[in-house]
């Protein structure tokens, strides 16, 4: 039965999630050097346009079309054929609105990966990578997990709003990108410092705000599930910000503003797969555990070894993995049709979550490597040493973010 209230909420949620991608650009933009802030902002801004068209033309059909063996959707909805204002049996919102809400997830996921290769990737290579990755990686994974005919959906894996679909896939892909593309010039010798923490805090605040649409909107209705998802999302982010700030103060003798922002995002990532399936107290535990694990990985495993420039793997990849597994631990029976998780006596759910994580991580990692190799056959992936030294704003776009920077562009060849 059609529900104007449900339609209004999902419409607003779609707008909130679409806002998150340019907000991600602000979050990332403050963490790079001033000569690369425009190019970093452009990754998020242009991804909105590029992946939106890809989703309308092909992506939605591949993700939510009739299944081929549980692996990929058919071409029945190419160009949004058959996707209109009609409302299916048992649904309360138009198909076109569901398509638009899902588009917002498809848009932000490849944008997340850009944090691993900022300051050194050619814009043309970025465009090719984003288009191929959205089609060959995101769309199949979304089909596996969220299409009722997908093999992981049928298997019983729980992912309320994208722990595996969005964060594990992007985080693992970011790690592969960082390894294949290599380190930035000056990495490890103290030359690379963020230029504007205020941009990062603004971006983090907007991400936190938009995440309510991300998680609570995934209920696709105005109901108790949406309310629970909103509450658990906020609880997890708050707990995670506190934990990261505290750990940073203990390890580095000062409470870091950037650390608090990273902690909040880690908590938001961790609660994403569990938001509609756990209680507020469980959400606090998930936020605390996810934040602590992400802090350890970014500070003591990745840093100094791999130039995952903006901690995409350490926060989104690791946070998505931890959150997905903890969903299998804390899932409440009353919120999961009686099945629950490990703490409710259903240890099988932890295995189902781990299997989904492993499948998504392996597929995303291998396909990302293949895509990068294919692109390298067509165009160089990385800018020249001279262009990297000049900054991508000038060398790739011929523009400077601030009037105090030089205005002479280095040819982008």
């Amino acid at each position: 039965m059609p529900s104007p209230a449900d339609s209004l909420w999902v419409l607003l949620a779609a707008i909130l999630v679409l806002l998150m991608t340019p907000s991600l650009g602000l979050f990332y933009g403050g963490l790079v050097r001033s000569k690369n802030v425009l190019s970093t902002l452009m990754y998020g801004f242009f991804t909105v346009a590029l992946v939106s068209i890809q989703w309308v033309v092909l992506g939605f059909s591949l993700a939510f079309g009739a299944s081929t063996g549980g692996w990929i959707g058919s071409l029945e909805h190419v160009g949004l054929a058959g996707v209109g204002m009609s409302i299916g049996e048992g649904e309360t919102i138009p198909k076109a609105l569901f398509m638009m809400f899902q588009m917002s997830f498809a848009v932000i996921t490849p944008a997340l990966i850009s944090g691993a290769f900022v300051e050194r990737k050619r814009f043309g290579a970025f465009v090719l990578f984003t288009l191929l990755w959205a089609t060959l990686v995101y769309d199949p994974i979304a089909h596996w997990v969220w299409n009722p005919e997908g093999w992981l959906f049928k298997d019983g894996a729980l992912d309320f709003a994208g722990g595996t679909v969005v964060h594990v896939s992007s985080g693992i892909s970011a790690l592969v990108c960082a390894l294949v593309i290599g380190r930035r010039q000056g990495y490890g010798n103290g030359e690379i410092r963020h230029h504007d923490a205020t941009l990062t805090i603004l971006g983090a605040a907007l991400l936190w705000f938009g995440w309510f649409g991300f998680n609570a909107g995934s209920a696709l209705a105005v109901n108790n599930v949406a309310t629970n998802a909103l509450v658990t999302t906020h609880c997890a982010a708050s707990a995670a910000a506190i934990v990261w700030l505290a750990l940073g103060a203990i390890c580095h003798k000062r409470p870091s503003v950037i650390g608090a922002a990273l902690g909040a995002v880690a908590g938001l990532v961790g609660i994403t797969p569990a938001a509609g399936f756990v209680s507020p107290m469980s959400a606090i535990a998930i936020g605390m555990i996810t934040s602590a694990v992400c802090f350890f990985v970014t500070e003591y495993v990745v840093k100094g070894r791999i130039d995952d420039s903006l901690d995409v793997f350490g926060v989104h990849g690791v946070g998505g993995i931890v959150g997905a597994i903890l969903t299998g631990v804390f899932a409440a029976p009353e919120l999961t049709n009686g099945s629950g998780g490990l703490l409710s006596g259903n240890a099988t759910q932890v295995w189902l979550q781990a299997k989904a994580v492993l499948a998504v991580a392996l597929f995303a990692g291998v396909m990302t490597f293949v895509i990068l190799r294919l692109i390298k056959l067509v165009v160089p992936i990385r800018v020249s040493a001279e262009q990297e030294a000049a900054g991508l704003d000038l060398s790739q776009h011929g523009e400077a973010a601030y009037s105090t920077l030089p205005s002479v562009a280095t040819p982008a060849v």
Side-chain angles (χ1 to χ4, degrees), residues 208-345:
W208 194 332
F209 176 67
W211 224 292
F212 293 124
F214 203 88
N215 287 359
S218 292
L220 299 178
V222 179
N223 56 23
N224 292 339
V225 177
T227 301
N228 187 72
L230 185 145
V231 173
T232 56
T233 297
H234 191 62
C235 288
S238 300
I242 293 169
V243 167
W244 197 300
L245 188 75
L247 290 175
I250 293 169
C251 296
H252 303 300
K253 310 304 179 186
R254 61 186 185 277
S256 167
V257 177
I258 297 297
L262 287 172
V265 173
L268 291 165
V269 171
I271 196 59
T272 291
F277 303 132
V278 300
S279 69
M281 290 304 297
S282 294
I284 292 174
I286 290 173
M288 294 176 69
I289 295 168
T290 303
S291 184
V293 175
C294 290
F295 178 88
F296 175 80
V297 172
T298 56
E299 288 286 331
Y300 300 108
V301 178
V302 176
K303 184 177 290 184
R305 295 178 175 87
I306 302 169
D307 190 6
D308 174 16
S309 313
L310 306 182
D311 299 320
V312 186
F313 170 71
V315 174
H316 294 276
V318 173
I321 292 169
V322 172
I325 301 299
L326 292 179
T327 300
V329 175
F330 289 103
E334 64 272 19
L335 298 172
T336 53
N337 297 320
S339 60
L342 177 64
L343 296 184
S344 304

Side-chain angles (χ1 to χ4, degrees), residues 343-370:
L343 296 184
S344 304
N346 181 21
T348 302
Q349 193 61 51
V350 176
W351 159 242
L352 294 175
Q353 299 302 109
K355 185 165 68 170
V357 166
L358 182 61
V360 169
L362 284 174
F363 181 76
V366 171
M367 288 300 296
T368 299
F369 180 81
V370 171

Side-chain angles (χ1 to χ4, degrees), residues 81-141:
V83 179
M85 296 302 112
S86 63
I87 298 175
E89 185 178 350
E91 299 173 351
T92 61
I93 64 173
K95 293 179 180 178
L97 180 55
F98 174 75
M99 178 280 301
M100 194 68 187
F101 180 68
Q102 289 297 334
M103 176 196 288
S104 65
F105 287 76
V107 163
I108 196 172
T109 308
L112 289 170
I113 304 170
S114 68
F117 53 67
V118 292
E119 303 194 301
R120 58 200 189 277
K121 191 172 187 178
R122 290 177 181 270
F123 184 71
F126 157 76
V127 172
L128 284 175
F129 175 82
T130 300
L131 191 58
L132 289 172
W133 194 91
T135 305
L136 301 178
V137 181
Y138 180 85
D139 295 342
I141 291 174

Side-chain angles (χ1 to χ4, degrees), residues 47-207:
T47 297
V48 175
L50 182 66
V51 178
S52 293
I53 299 302
Q54 183 273 347
W55 188 250
V56 167
V57 173
L58 180 63
F60 179 75
S61 190
L62 293 179
F64 291 99
S67 187
T68 303
W71 295 98
I72 194 68
S74 69
L75 300 180
E76 64 177 322
H77 296 312
V78 166
L80 298 188
V83 179
M85 296 302 112
S86 63
I87 298 175
E89 185 178 350
E91 299 173 351
T92 61
I93 64 173
K95 293 179 180 178
L97 180 55
F98 174 75
M99 178 280 301
M100 194 68 187
F101 180 68
Q102 289 297 334
M103 176 196 288
S104 65
F105 287 76
V107 163
I108 196 172
T109 308
L112 289 170
I113 304 170
S114 68
F117 53 67
V118 292
E119 303 194 301
R120 58 200 189 277
K121 191 172 187 178
R122 290 177 181 270
F123 184 71
F126 157 76
V127 172
L128 284 175
F129 175 82
T130 300
L131 191 58
L132 289 172
W133 194 91
T135 305
L136 301 178
V137 181
Y138 180 85
D139 295 342
I141 291 174
H143 184 84
W144 299 354
V145 178
W146 284 337
N147 190 309
E149 299 176 16
W151 73 275
L152 285 175
F153 186 98
K154 287 185 173 181
D155 205 36
L158 297 175
D159 188 351
F160 189 76
T164 51
V165 177
V166 175
H167 299 293
V168 174
S169 68
S170 63
I172 295 298
S173 297
L175 177 62
V176 173
C177 286
L179 290 171
V180 171
I181 297 173
R183 300 180 177 188
R184 291 167 289 177
Q185 296 177 29
Y187 179 78
N189 62 12
E191 294 182 5
I192 300 176
R193 294 184 175 90
H194 61 263
H195 86 286
D196 191 347
T198 57
L199 273 183
T200 297
I201 296 301
L202 175 60
L206 288 171
L207 284 172

